[in-house]
């Protein structure tokens, strides 16, 4: 075991504060990584504040962070994919059983034994796993990804969650040239969805509650922007979408979006709302529309997404902050006041 610097919350109402955590010494299949940047996902905030207590209660202290990029410092004796000095990334998953049908199909994200980067039982040290708001992490090489060398590292970090969570359902539902695609909510996930859908060749319409994001949405690759509180603007698109991705993090009316789908259209939810949504049957049955969910992505697809982003030169638009500003960043995230993802520069933790 060795000590790592980190930021942790001691309870649902405590701010994140500096602390020291234990990391395991790398085993033969492990890679030890010096963390350079870690994105701030809304899931970090949901977890720190125990907003998913019914489904996934938070165990304190919690060290969040699952949008990690860094440099390999040590490799275990059996590691074959990485060497010291490589630029690598870690997303939401750090373990799975590797034998179930989902794991065999490259869908580790649906393994019954999956372990998250933070707030999952740690089979090596006991206690819970600790995430990327830290200066280092030790991860089995199977769960480590390669970062394309042309990508800015701070902007690449959010690809590990916001990128794959939006790429995966768009691939699954066949987003491509000739398809009309809606993106609801222009936050961390939403702005990645716009960039990726645009790169896949789709016609992209953004739905936002923030009129001041209109110009940005167009710059990011949207073909049209609708202010969702304007009923007339919404009506113009009734029955016209093949696919809509809903990335909103708070309670809202999804029936308004179901009604925008065409025949056989699909609305996929990725926002993890703490409370159940109300769905009107009428909206689904008229048009044989479907409502579904999607949850990050498997390792193979995550690497595919990173390579796709490398080819298309796609990174997140980030505001880089020192870790000492993380609590302020959480308050701003709640007000949708970030364009469009915070990335923590972990050098700020090393000098603390
Ligand atoms: P975020 O950056 O805070 O973005 C959420 C966006 O939703 C906001 O920017 C805002 O966009 C819109 N919004 C917020 N409150 C709203 C309200 N009351 N009504 C309507 N729109 C509202 O969050 P994020 O990091 O992108 O995460 C989004 C959600 O996805 C979170 O719930 C997160 O936990 C979840 N998530 C899920 C997965 C998965 O695998 N399924 C993975 C990662 C994250 P506008 O200003 O444009 O309206
Ligand atoms: Zn996330």
């Amino acid at each position: 075991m060795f000590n790592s610097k980190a930021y942790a919350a001691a309870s649902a109402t405590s701010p994140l504060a500096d602390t020291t955590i234990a990391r395991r010494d790398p085993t033969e299949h492990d890679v030890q990584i010096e963390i350079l940047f870690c994105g701030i996902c809304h899931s970090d905030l949901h977890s720190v504040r125990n907003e998913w207590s019914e489904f996934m209660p938070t165990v304190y202290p919690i060290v969040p962070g699952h949008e990690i990029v860094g440099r390999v410092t040590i490799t275990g004796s059996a590691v074959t994919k990485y060497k010291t000095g490589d630029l690598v990334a870690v997303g939401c998953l750090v373990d799975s059983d590797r034998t179930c049908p989902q794991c065999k199909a490259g869908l580790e994200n649906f393994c019954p034994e999956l372990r998250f980067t933070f707030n999952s039982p740690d089979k090596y040290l006991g206690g819970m796993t600790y995430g990327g708001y830290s200066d280092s992490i030790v991860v089995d090489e199977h769960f480590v990804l390669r970062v394309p060398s042309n990508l800015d590292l701070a902007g690449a970090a959010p690809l590990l969650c916001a990128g794959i969570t939006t790429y995966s359902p768009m691939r699954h539902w066949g987003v491509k040239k000739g398809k009309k695609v809606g993106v609801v909510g222009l936050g961390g996930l939403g702005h990645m969805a716009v960039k990726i859908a645009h790169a896949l060749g789709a016609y992209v319409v953004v739905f936002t509650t923030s009129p001041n994001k209109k110009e940005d949405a167009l710059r990011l690759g949207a073909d049209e922007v609708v202010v969702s509180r304007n009923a007339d603007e919404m009506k113009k698109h009734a029955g016209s979408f093949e696919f809509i991705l809903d990335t909103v993090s708070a309670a809202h009316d999804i029936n308004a979006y179901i009604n925008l789908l065409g025949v056989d259209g699909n609305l996929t939810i990725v926002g993890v709302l703490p409370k159940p949504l109300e769905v009107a049957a009428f909206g689904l049955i008229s048009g044989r529309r479907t409502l579904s969910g999607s949850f990050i992505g498997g390792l193979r697809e995550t690497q595919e997404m990173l390579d796709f982003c490398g080819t298309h030169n796609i990174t997140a638009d980030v505001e880089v902050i020192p870790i000492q500003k993380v609590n302020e960043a959480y308050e701003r995230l709640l007000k949708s006041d970030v364009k469009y993802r915070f990335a923590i520069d972990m050098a700020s933790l090393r000098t603390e």
Side-chain angles (χ1 to χ4, degrees):
M1 272 188 338
F2 66 98
N3 283 339
S4 190
K5 287 183 167 190
Y7 259 55
S11 78
T13 51
S14 313
L16 290 147
D18 63 320
T19 188
T20 301
I21 56 169
R23 298 288 193 193
R24 68 178 182 270
D25 291 320
T27 65
E28 54 177 351
H29 294 289
D30 283 338
V31 171
Q32 184 170 322
I33 299 162
E34 174 193 34
I35 299 177
L36 300 175
F37 293 97
C38 184
I40 297 181
C41 177
H42 208 113
S43 302
D44 298 352
L45 190 154
H46 287 306
S47 302
V48 164
R49 300 193 177 174
N50 203 11
E51 290 172 357
W52 299 330
S53 55
E54 225 179 292
F55 308 98
M56 211 191 276
T58 302
V59 178
Y60 296 93
I62 178 174
V63 176
H66 56 206
E67 294 184 335
I68 298 167
V69 293
R71 201 176 285 285
V72 174
T73 49
I74 299 177
T75 54
S77 57
V79 167
T80 56
K81 278 161 60 189
Y82 302 104
K83 58 180 190 325
T84 303
D86 283 354
L87 285 173
V88 293
V90 178
C92 304
L93 305 176
V94 290
D95 203 8
S96 67
D97 68 18
R98 316 272 292 272
T99 55
C100 72
Q102 290 79 261
C103 283
K104 284 191 175 146
L107 295 170
E108 297 89 344
N109 48 322
F110 301 130
C111 170
E113 294 299 322
L114 75 85
R115 293 287 183 263
F116 295 111
T117 308
F118 61 83
N119 199 41
S120 271
D122 183 337
K123 75 176 181 195
Y124 299 89
L125 296 179
M128 303 300 270
T129 53
Y130 291 136
Y133 296 10
S134 172
D135 61 3
S136 71
I137 193 164
V138 177
V139 179
D140 185 302
E141 70 167 330
H142 181 75
F143 297 89
V144 176
L145 290 311
R146 194 172 290 285
V147 182
S149 58
N150 58 315
L151 296 183
D152 168 68
L153 286 185
L159 300 180
L160 276 300
C161 177
I164 184 60
T165 300
T166 52
Y167 179 86
S168 182
M170 288 199 275
R171 296 289 288 167
H172 181 76
W173 291 97
V175 169
K176 59 181 182 195
K177 198 170 164 52
K179 302 273 181 187
K180 185 176 176 186
V181 169
V183 175
V184 188
L186 196 67
L189 266 58
H191 96 291
M192 287 313 310
V194 172
K195 291 187 184 204
I196 292 168
H198 177 73
L200 288 168
Y203 185 88
V204 185
V205 181
V206 166
F207 295 92
T208 180
T209 59
S210 312
N212 64 353
K213 292 183 184 171
K214 254 186 153 169
E215 290 301 309
D216 277 349
L218 296 170
R219 174 182 58 79
L220 293 166
D223 296 285
E224 278 185 62
V225 187
V226 172
V227 175
S228 50
R229 293 195 170 121
N230 181 328
D232 288 339
E233 274 190 60
M234 291 288 280
K235 235 187 254 164
K236 272 193 229 155
H237 291 275
S240 68
F241 283 88
E242 267 117 355
F243 178 74
I244 299 177
L245 189 68
D246 187 333
T247 74
V248 172
S249 53
H252 62 292
D253 176 20
I254 55 160
N255 299 296
Y257 296 101
I258 291 174
N259 292 333
L260 301 187
L261 295 171
V263 172
D264 285 330
N266 170 266
L267 172 71
T268 291
I269 294 178
V270 286
V272 192
L273 308 183
K275 297 240 165 73
L277 289 163
E278 273 197 17
V279 180
F282 198 78
L284 287 176
I285 62 169
S286 39
R288 198 167 54 189
R289 296 150 165 164
T290 55
L291 172 63
S292 59
S294 192
F295 179 56
I296 44 177
L299 274 298
R300 196 157 65 214
E301 195 175 39
T302 304
Q303 189 62 62
E304 179 189 306
M305 175 277 307
L306 284 168
D307 296 342
F308 176 87
C309 289
T311 304
H312 295 270
N313 218 356
I314 294 175
T315 51
D317 284 24
V318 286
E319 178 177 337
V320 178
I321 57 162
I323 198 152
Q324 294 78 8
K325 290 235 162 120
V326 68
N327 294 301
E328 198 182 300
Y330 274 30
E331 293 312 313
R332 286 182 51 199
L333 185 61
L334 280 174
K335 290 188 261 172
S336 300
D337 176 25
V338 51
K339 292 185 169 175
Y340 279 88
R341 198 60 143 185
F342 289 111
I344 304 167
D345 182 351
M346 225 44 83
S348 60
L349 182 59
R350 287 194 186 87
T351 53
E352 210 173 53

